[in-house]
Amino acid sequence: PAQRTQPPARATAPPRRMRGPPGARSDAPSIPHAVTPATAPAVVRVDLGARSYPISIGAGVLDDLASYAGHVGKRALIVTNDVVGPLYLERVTAALKSAGVAVDSVTLPDGEAHKDLATLNLIFDAALAGRHGRDTTLVALGGGVVGDMAGFAAAAYQRGVPFVQVPTTLMAAVDSSVGGKTGVNHPAGKNMIGAFHQPNAVICDVAALDTLPDRELASGLSEVVKYGLIRDAPLFDWLEAGGAAAILARDRAALTHAIRESCVNKAAVVAADEREGGVRATLNLGHTFGHAVETAQGYGTFLHGEAVSVGTAMAADLSCRLGWIDAGVRDRAVGLLRACRLPVTVPSGMTPTQFRDLMAVDKKVQDGVVRLVLLKGPLGGCVVTGDYDPAALDATLGAFCGRE
Ligand code: NAD
Ligand code: GLY
């Protein structure tokens, strides 16, 4: 894994590109100019023996032939969606073609609501229509939804073909493009159908985040806060001391630092426990509560990172009720999430019973016990356990659902 790097100085740069209100789609972003990487990209390595791969992070890497060299064979099928495609498909196609790769593409409908088996089939339809074989590399161009679906398609198509991740959201850059978890949702539960399938490479163009709406940028920050809470107190301190504000202001040095440090954390956890037999489950802080929120509200209503933020606030509350962290750590966690412009309260109408029912459909359930990632000890410590006082969970659910 890469060496830890120095945080950039406190950011004072003005916002690069201001957007409209969170989630607004009407102010469609203009197509950014292609840029050549000014400096060599930072590279974080995921150490998995023969299946190790690089994560290249830098401005302009999307256009850089060297990023793809050696990771894509003679043919590629780019998987994107109808928001990201118009922005970046032409550039990725051009980069691959100039590297001598024959390129096809398939464009999926945008959004979490389409992360399902029916949409997945569109990738197989395109692959078969183009007579793609096992020598084809799928290239996932988009956020976590496209990445998870293209990765799952790569795991299943002709029993497995290689794939490359080109993340274009902060969420995908700091989390979903790394580690090989792929899949789709089921109406009864988030990410319930999928496979572990590692990419050959991750090519993360920080400049591509310029077109990301503010609300999506904030959503990705929830996973950066997660690394701080579960294992990297200095990263949390940096976010709190101005890093988060600089990211929200689109300071590129701050963004690059957060992505690189998040990837260093994720690469270390994945290298230690690729298939989530142990420590990898800690990456699910807030996710058991959060997935319940996402499923209950209808996929896409709450963004994934927003739901994780609510879930993280609930996990911090429960950890505090159990006496595992002090109120100061809980308050810092909730305070930083708020500062990231993320929600920390449960949507109205959700009940403790609804949470319990949905939380029972979780991949961490063992012998009928819902295991949770909870904070423990000083900032940066956590456990994965089903051994907690159920009355404390009742109290947290009651408090967040307005019953206390
Ligand atoms: P997303 O993929 O839906 O992207 C968010 C929105 O931004 C979409 O509308 C998308 O089209 C748009 N977009 C993407 N890049 C853009 C750009 N550069 N400019 C403008 N618009 C752009 O959502 P996400 O937050 O990236 O990912 C969420 C998904 O990732 C969830 O399904 C979640 O379960 C999954 N996830 C998976 C893992 C994993 O380990 N596999 C980890 C975290 C999250
Ligand atoms: N996002 C959680 C994991 O990759 O394990």
Side-chain angles (χ1 to χ4, degrees), residues 41-65:
V43 178
V44 176
R45 216 173 150 68
V46 184
D47 281 331
L48 289 168
R51 291 173 299 111
S52 298
Y53 56 92
I55 307 165
S56 305
I57 306 157
V61 289
L62 192 120
D63 303 298
D64 183 20
L65 313 190

Side-chain angles (χ1 to χ4, degrees), residues 25 81 110 112 115 144-145 148 168-169 176 181 190 208 211:
R25 281 267 177 261
N81 71 25
D110 178 46
E112 187 76 36
K115 189 180 170 184
V145 169
D148 281 11
T168 63
T169 62
S176 65
K181 277 191 183 174
K190 247 317 258 176
T211 52

Side-chain angles (χ1 to χ4, degrees), residues 222-269:
S222 67
E223 304 283 9
V224 187
V225 173
K226 169 186 82 180
Y227 296 118
L229 285 171
I230 63 169
R231 69 193 307 277
D232 191 344
L235 178 60
F236 187 98
D237 292 341
W238 175 79
L239 287 167
E240 212 176 34
I247 289 167
L248 292 172
R250 295 174 183 270
D251 180 88
R252 199 170 279 171
L255 268 167
T256 305
H257 177 73
I259 293 170
R260 194 173 47 217
E261 294 305 296
S262 297
C263 289
V264 167
N265 276 295
K266 181 134 189 196
V269 173

Side-chain angles (χ1 to χ4, degrees), residues 175-176 178-179 181 223 226 266 270 276 280 283-284 287:
D175 194 349
S176 65
V178 177
K181 277 191 183 174
E223 304 283 9
K226 169 186 82 180
K266 181 134 189 196
V270 169
E276 203 166 301
R280 184 161 181 175
L283 296 175
N284 287 316
H287 285 56

